[in-house]
Amino acid sequence: MTQLGMAIDLERCYGCRACMEACKVENSTPRGAFWMHVFRFEEGEYPDTEQTNMPRPCQHCSEPSCASACPTSARFKREEDGIVLTDYDRCIGCRYCEIGCPYGVNYAQFEHPEDAQYGYGSESDEHNGDDTHGSGTFAEALGDEAPGEGKPPWHDPIHDKPVEPRGTQMSGPQPEGVMSKCTMCAHRQDNPERGQEGTTACAQTCPVDAIKFGDMEDPESDPNQHLEDKSSSSTFKLLEDRGTEPNVVYIGDEPGDDARTIEDADTFKDPQEAIEIEKNPPESRSTDVEVGQ
Amino acid sequence: MSTPTSSDRRAATLADPGPRYYAMLAVAGVVVFAMVYSFVTVLTQGHGITGLHNWGTDGGVPWGLDIGAFSWWSAMGVGAIALSSIIRVFGMDDYRPYARIGELLTPLAFGVGFLHIVFDLGKPFRVLNTLIYLPLQSPIAWDVILLAGLGAISVVYMVASLRADVYELSERGALPTALSPVYDALLVGYEPSETGTGEDLAWWLGALVLVFIPVVGGGVVPLLWGPLGVNINWFGAIQGPTFLAASMTTGAAAVLFVGCVLRYAYGLEDVFTDRTLRRLGAVTGAFAFTYLLGTFYEIQTGTFAADMADPNVTMRVFEGPLAPLLVLAIAAIVAPTAYLTIQHATDRFSLLGTVLLTGVMLVGILHQETWLIVGGLMYPDLLYPVGEYTPSVYEWLNLMGTTALVALVLLVFAKTLPVVSDPAEVGPDR
């Protein structure tokens, strides 16, 4: 049996958050949704403090509490490779999976997908779409040159392909009112012709190769080989006491009770706040900042 | 003044409505319209306009006032039908008018409770997926099965108990003729010669409800998921009894409240007597005391919080911004409990005091249920920020709308159905 998972080396990770960015680009996730998130935290007392970074994808648990909680089986574990997926056609948006999961990886789409995307919300044409399309207006960007049969450019058509075993949409940005989360790039695993099978965007992008993706049941897989190489380091799984049997193994020390975030996890991540910043870019905001001189 | 007959009392509410009735109907109608506006607005603009957000990096709370209101209405339905069944099954004839209120209230409470779920869903029109796919390992699936089952029984129970009175009033010509087809439908197969047939059926259905209630009243879900654990980690031994206590309190308070209003509106002092209202008040207070204890144990053990919660969620709730809400909820339940108990102990009765304090208690329980849900989702484990939640105007409109809808239907019932039940054996002094 195959169980896809990850070994994430916290001794290598330096918190650049390229994995987060890669995930967003790969999966076209909307503002505020971070299928991959990196905790940056500090422990100890000054001056003996230590900073650690901990990437957090979905743990693709062997006993996924989100799937247990789902009232329609929209959230389920794919037997073929152990990925936990969301059937966008079946999900009713009750958010029970979000409540039942202790890891904070679930995102309900509370807005129209277009409204929730980057580049939307700026009132002036000058900024519309800048951060997704480079330049030009949002309307232009949605025009004929947009890839994906008239879909907006942030939408990779690969996500429109039905996902097995149900033949429904389960990857990429979800429709309004529906749940989503990290799919371990199921579209990559299911479309070998793209040449990306056995990879995820986050693992591929990581500049220090801290994320090892593969079959956790295979001793020869990348994550297991890396775990063997670093057998002298301590390892842990997140919230293992919850009985979810996560399939992401961390190499390094587990955050202690006094771990505190260097910045709030939600810094600049609130969609409305992001829209405000977009409308009022940093140059013009700088006058608001009083520097003690 | 001549003593009104049993039939007169049954027909008391059916008299031609006055301007005050139409005014109340209009107000309720406007608020229901506002609820529809809220639903359509959220449907077209998305839940982003509500106070809800994702927990975790979004720093929000994913369930709020709609889920609190759902718990409250569900509890009211369970409690009202349980109270009605107790009265009927154990032959507590003095309280039969209250049983009738419970019978009418239950389907309405379940109905609007369901509406809150629909309002809360990201995809409301997919609600039937729950029935189509229904995975039996899901706790919510069992909530659906059991509450839907109880809802179905409650409708049959209501109809069974109404038939004899509907027949009598129909024969007397007291019912509006425009609704004759409805009454004919209600009376299908009814044989007036078989006196007591409908009553017998209602008795058996009441007995069935009393068997069903301990299972539905928060029983089966913690029973199945508590010991098994299945990584939801939300269910402890205290959940079931506390929900049952909440149900009995909310149901009894709602029946008491409506009884007081009916007595005031139609001068039914000999139906909803001082003595029965006072005793029902004391029973409501006793239930409320049990509910408070259960809630306290839930908070103390942290089992009110979801699986994602910080292990120290209890202390965070006590010390955090929710502490004043907790105190407010307790005060809103304790003060009416004390009033109703003292009223009974001192053998005094005030209709105004009873209806006001019962109203406060109902609001207090709704408040308690809501902050327990929100509080359990505000303080996540791991290194996420504390969630924030303030109900939006749309969520308030939903709540006001469902309350107005129940009031609206009760107002219609008052003019179309025998909402006053079998007072024949109720003496003016009892």
Side-chain angles (χ1 to χ4, degrees), chain B residues 218-306:
Chain B
V220 77
V221 175
L223 178 75
L224 288 178
W225 281 272
L228 293 177
V230 288
N231 46 59
I232 300 292
N233 288 351
W234 200 344
F235 304 104
I238 194 64
Q239 251 84 5
T242 305
F243 183 79
L244 197 54
S247 301
M248 295 311 297
T249 315
T250 319
V255 167
L256 184 63
F257 185 87
V258 176
C260 288
V261 172
L262 279 176
R263 168 171 153 167
Y264 174 75
Y266 297 103
L268 294 167
E269 286 84 0
D270 54 345
V271 176
F272 303 104
T273 63
D274 286 5
R275 174 178 159 277
T276 54
L277 283 170
R278 197 165 51 220
R279 282 191 168 184
L280 186 55
V283 168
T284 307
F287 285 139
F289 180 72
T290 318
Y291 168 58
L292 278 172
L293 274 183
T295 310
F296 176 71
Y297 295 143
E298 269 192 22
I299 297 171
Q300 193 184 34
T301 54
T303 49
F304 71 96

Side-chain angles (χ1 to χ4, degrees), chain A residues 88 91 95 103 107 112 242, chain B residues 44 57 120 126 307 381 384:
Chain A
Y88 294 169
C91 174
R95 308 183 289 288
Y103 302 107
Y107 291 91
H112 302 312
R242 306 297 173 97
Chain B
T44 50
T57 56
D120 192 63
R126 288 187 184 176
D307 186 46
D381 210 337
Y384 291 113

Side-chain angles (χ1 to χ4, degrees), chain B residues 354-378:
Chain B
T354 305
V355 77
L356 277 181
L357 279 260
T358 308
V360 168
M361 182 187 278
L362 283 168
V363 173
I365 297 168
L366 169 67
H367 172 56
Q368 175 99 316
E369 289 298 306
T370 305
W371 89 252
L372 274 174
I373 287 164
V374 173
L377 300 172
M378 266 181 72

Side-chain angles (χ1 to χ4, degrees), chain A residues 32 34 37 39 41 56 63-65 67-73 88-96 98-104 106-108 110-112 176-178 238-239 242-244 259-261 265-266 269, chain B residues 42-48 52-59 62-63 120-124 126-127 129-130 133-135 137-141 143 230-235 306-309 311 377 381-385:
Chain A
F34 290 83
H37 169 69
F39 289 111
F41 56 94
R56 178 245 62 195
E63 293 292 336
S65 52
S68 298
C70 178
T72 62
S73 295
Y88 294 169
D89 288 359
R90 194 181 287 192
C91 174
I92 59 174
C94 70
R95 308 183 289 288
Y96 222 119
E98 189 176 340
I99 309 288
C101 165
Y103 302 107
N106 290 281
Y107 291 91
F110 285 114
E111 298 181 66
H112 302 312
E176 181 184 343
V178 169
L238 269 184
L239 303 177
R242 306 297 173 97
T244 51
R260 53 206 175 268
T261 48
D266 61 341
K269 289 179 182 171
Chain B
V42 173
L43 197 63
T44 50
Q45 297 191 27
H47 276 72
L52 301 168
H53 291 285
N54 296 300
W55 76 269
T57 56
D58 267 4
W63 284 353
D120 192 63
L121 291 182
K123 287 278 185 193
R126 288 187 184 176
V127 68
N129 277 8
T130 308
Y133 299 110
L134 205 71
Q137 83 277 9
S138 164
I140 204 174
D143 281 344
V230 288
N231 46 59
I232 300 292
N233 288 351
W234 200 344
F235 304 104
D307 186 46
M308 42 166 277
L377 300 172
D381 210 337
L382 297 176
L383 295 158
Y384 291 113

Side-chain angles (χ1 to χ4, degrees), chain B residues 115-154:
Chain B
L115 269 186
H116 277 288
I117 291 294
V118 172
F119 294 153
D120 192 63
L121 291 182
K123 287 278 185 193
F125 299 122
R126 288 187 184 176
V127 68
L128 287 180
N129 277 8
T130 308
L131 295 178
I132 295 169
Y133 299 110
L134 205 71
L136 295 181
Q137 83 277 9
S138 164
I140 204 174
W142 283 94
D143 281 344
V144 169
I145 293 169
L146 296 171
L147 285 174
L150 188 58
I153 292 173
S154 76

